[in-house]
Amino acid sequence: MSTAHPAPSTTAPAPVTAPAPGAAPAYRLSTAGVVRSEWHKLWTLRSTWITLFTACALVISVGITMGVTYDGDDAEVDTVVFTLLGNQLAQICLAVLGILVTAGEYSTGMIRASLAAVPTRLPVLLSKAGIFAAVAFTVSLATNVGTFLLAQIWLADSDKALVLTDRGVLGALASSAASLTLLSLIALGLGALFRSVPGAIGAFVGAVLVLPEVLSMLPFAAVDTVLDHFPAQAASSLGSIARVEDALAPGTALLTLTLWAAAVIGGAALLLKRRDV
């Protein structure tokens, strides 16, 4: 009797299917992609162009006005501070823009798509902060330099005549731009914390600009020391050629502002990971 042996089974390997011509590649999240996305979102908003143009126009127009009308009455005022008085107005514009960068996405609902595309969430906030800081500093520095040069057309024959190569001038212009940038980053962090444009603007104006003025009325010496480390007061220590009397040293003021911005953005990052969209 013959016994039939079953033939050994062979399993052929699954054929490798090549992607169809023109098919979209598989989605892969990358830091560069997140940064590029946030860059495009910033520059495709009309509010970005309007706010930056307004900030630049205010600084330049005030600087030219100060140069044209100077008659020697403000000789004791630092030349760079005198020229860049318009930065007090530009500060509000850049703070509003920083708030719109974060809280604006919550008001439009765009944040849902952003966080769905980036489930880890933090790269979205950090990319927004990094791109905004680079843009704010570059625009502020260019505006400061241009305003200084324009104002010197009328100040060249006065006691405020300076050139960019004079000692401390470029440092004062750069530190002024840095203070505007860091204050605006604080506003950006408040926008991410409050998720509301009106709420964040109110918090920035109330906590950063108004509260220190109210606390300064208290008759305690310790309060003055504390107030020197508030954001707006630290910023006022920057942007001048000579050190401001009874104020923080420029290096200390810059570090103080950096820590404030890091603390606010860090708090926003922590809540971003814990809260729902």
Side-chain angles (χ1 to χ4, degrees), residues 21-276:
Y27 173 75
R28 186 179 63 180
L29 181 65
S30 67
T31 302
V34 177
V35 171
R36 186 165 53 249
S37 172
E38 295 302 327
W39 173 267
H40 286 305
K41 280 195 286 186
L42 178 66
W43 289 112
T44 51
L45 292 174
R46 187 182 303 173
S47 57
T48 300
W49 296 92
I50 294 174
T51 310
L52 288 177
F53 175 80
T54 302
C56 295
L58 287 171
V59 177
I60 293 172
S61 58
V62 172
I64 292 175
T65 301
M66 300 304 292
V68 171
T69 59
Y70 179 64
D71 56 5
D73 289 343
D74 298 313
E76 73 283 357
V77 180
D78 185 275
T79 301
V80 173
V81 173
F82 178 82
T83 302
L84 300 180
L85 283 176
N87 274 339
Q88 297 179 15
L89 302 174
Q91 172 184 311
I92 302 298
C93 295
L94 291 177
V96 170
L97 180 58
I99 290 169
L100 289 174
V101 167
T102 49
E105 282 204 40
Y106 285 94
S107 62
T108 61
M110 181 66 184
I111 192 65
R112 294 186 180 89
S114 298
L115 298 184
V118 188
T120 52
R121 296 190 172 193
L122 289 187
V124 174
L125 178 61
L126 297 180
S127 295
K128 287 180 183 294
I131 290 172
F132 177 75
V135 170
F137 180 78
T138 302
V139 171
S140 297
L141 181 58
T143 303
N144 286 352
V145 172
T147 303
F148 174 82
L149 294 175
L150 287 172
Q152 283 298 318
I153 295 175
W154 293 274
L155 297 174
D157 297 326
S158 70
D159 57 344
K160 291 191 179 300
L162 288 173
V163 295
L164 285 176
T165 54
D166 286 339
R167 183 178 180 181
V169 172
L170 280 175
L173 296 173
S175 64
S176 175
S179 67
L180 284 176
T181 302
L182 290 169
L183 283 172
S184 303
L185 280 176
I186 293 173
L188 181 145
L190 289 174
L193 280 171
F194 285 87
R195 300 184 173 189
S196 164
V197 173
I201 291 176
F204 181 83
V205 172
V208 177
L209 303 181
V210 177
L211 180 60
E213 300 300 326
V214 175
L215 293 178
S216 65
M217 299 178 185
L218 298 177
F220 302 108
V223 173
D224 294 334
T225 302
V226 173
L227 287 177
D228 286 340
H229 293 81
F230 272 52
Q233 283 62 35
S236 66
S237 302
L238 300 169
S240 61
I241 299 174
R243 178 175 174 176
V244 180
E245 188 176 356
D246 298 328
L248 296 177
T252 304
L254 190 62
L255 176 61
T256 299
L257 274 175
T258 303
L259 291 176
W260 273 108
V264 176
I265 293 176
L270 181 63
L271 291 182
L272 183 64
K273 292 289 289 184
R274 293 188 174 187
R275 294 191 301 193
D276 293 333

